[in-house]
Amino acid sequence: MGSYRVVIHNPLLLFLIFILEKKGSGFVVSRMGKKRILIWGLLFIVYFQTCVVYEAALTVKIGEVNGTIVLSCSNGTVRTKKVGWFKDTSTQTVLAVDSDIPTDKRCARVNESSLSITSLRIEDQGNYTCTDGSESISTVQLLISSGPYNVFVSITPNNTLPNGTIYTTKGRMLSFFCFSDSYPLPNMEWVLNSQDKKPEVFHSSTNNSTSTFYVFHVGNDFQGNYSCSAENPISGRRQTSTQELLVYYPPTSKISCYANSSTDLSQLFLFCKWAGGYPAPTLQWEHNGNALTNQTVPSNDTEVLIVSVEHSQLSDGQQFACHGNNLLIEGRSEKNTCQLQIALPILQSHPMRNCFSGENVTLSCSVNSANLPAKISWLHNLSQPELEIQPGEKYAIWQNSTLSYLTIINCSHEKDEGYYTCKAENVLGMKEINVWLSVNKPHNIVGLVSILLLLFLLVVAIITGTILYCDPQTYLKVNPFRSEATDLLVIIDSDDEEEMVEVQKPPEMDDGKDEVISDPSPANRYINKHQVMYHQPPSSAVQSDSTKGRKDLSSELVSDIAEEKEDESPREEL
């Protein structure tokens, strides 16, 4: 039902009303009193025809294509009299007042005053007015809507899984396209629904049958359900189409393998992990080309595969391999394949250690177990060979999977000396290594060092005295305090007589070389032989001080040589 307003068509009445309004507001009409104005107003109302029309405001009705709608004719009262209907203008009659046959068979009169339209079309949209033949009663605006229908979503480029889900690769560019068939043009909206986030509006458009946008460098946070919604702006009808998009990316790290043992060492657990990719990879343990499928251990981590192997199926040096499959990585390579070899533990330690009574000593033991952790323990053979040493006041133990340290506190010769056994055991077997600990009493180190120093000094003194006693000339030769050193003449005869005379080297022998002067071979074998050796003085600084002495020595030397020759001549003659 619409609201009503009064429309006055008589211009004289409008003039009178204008004058009365001005009068009330202070306007003075010349030569007219108030009574005369009222009288003339009544005369004009009676004399002239005044038309007051109640005109109804538009009532909006919405119908859908192929639907049915009923338009009511009412101005606030219930009408039982037949009315006619026309569209937009009075010339387009839909149903005449005096006829029950409409111009369109889809139209019909309902309850004498309402108009029913079936199988609505877009062309039926417009203003419909009902009339009783003399005046228009009411007008109804009919709006026709269609859709939205056939909402289509496309995300490209992509790959399709067997179940129809599409996926793309991280870092690629994607195009998002959505289409809808609707009248009038719909409002489009893209919404992303992901597991870790609230619904997020990606893109929207108004009065457009298509919606397109692009995403560059797609990340893993773009994974989710993309919903494209189309809404009819008239009817408010909405239709949505959803497409799930998966964003795949390969693992960021290499595949890794490691092994562990059960607490009772009855089983071996093989771990294979390939993390950092999506979707989770498919992992497979193999031994000699055969898959280990029946021994899989359940795990909540989809990136880890755990397989158990019984102790009876294991041997020293056995090898296992784990292979991982990912949609983005094809074939087998170092990145998706790892190998694991198990072996008995190998022990290393120092065979002997020393400790002074009352002090602390630390024994070490390292284990190389070939990718298989071992249980390390210490034993003492002298006390209780089969009882493991436990940390406490006497012992301190620090260890990890490959190294163990045993610290013995306050060493005692009676209790602590002896063999200590380092034992390493894994699922394959056990190995042991012994370390001998000697506990000694502490010695007087200062006294020992003093005795050694005195002995050293005594040996040096003995060697020095022996040299000086056996060869005094050595001291004279190396004596740096000799100020006058001259050449030495050494005369050696057959009778073992030695004479040492200091002489000056002749001037003609300045070449610095030692010469030996001897007599010609004598005829008689009893002739004495003399050997003369000259040595150059060590310094020329003494030449100036001893010039005179050398002349005297030279003359004396010549005379001695002459006498010796005279003494030898008779002997040669004999």
Side-chain angles (χ1 to χ4, degrees), residues 19 23 29-37 40:
I19 293 175
K23 179 67 177 179
V29 180
S30 61
R31 298 180 183 181
M32 282 189 183
K34 184 176 182 180
K35 294 181 179 180
R36 294 179 63 182
I37 294 175
W40 281 105

Side-chain angles (χ1 to χ4, degrees), residues 222-236:
F222 282 82
Q223 177 172 293
N225 294 319
Y226 288 86
S227 299
C228 177
S229 300
E231 183 180 27
N232 194 300
I234 295 178
S235 64

Side-chain angles (χ1 to χ4, degrees), residues 101 115 118 190 230 247 268 274 312 339 341 395 462 494 548:
I101 301 175
L115 177 64
T118 60
W190 282 89
V247 180
L268 174 68
W274 199 14
S312 58
Q339 293 185 352
Q341 183 179 14
Y395 301 102
I462 292 174
S494 59
K548 182 177 179 180

Side-chain angles (χ1 to χ4, degrees), residues 1 38 50 119 180 189 242 315 341 405 415 418 455 534 564:
M1 181 182 297
L38 291 175
T50 303
S119 301
S180 175
E189 186 180 65
T242 302
S315 60
Q341 183 179 14
Y405 291 99
K415 296 180 179 180
L455 290 176
Y534 293 93
E564 290 180 0

Side-chain angles (χ1 to χ4, degrees), residues 258-280:
Y258 61 97
N260 206 343
S261 304
S262 60
T263 306
D264 56 358
L265 301 178
S266 62
Q267 287 182 327
L268 174 68
F269 295 105
L270 301 176
F271 293 80
C272 182
K273 184 175 183 180
W274 199 14
Y278 182 83

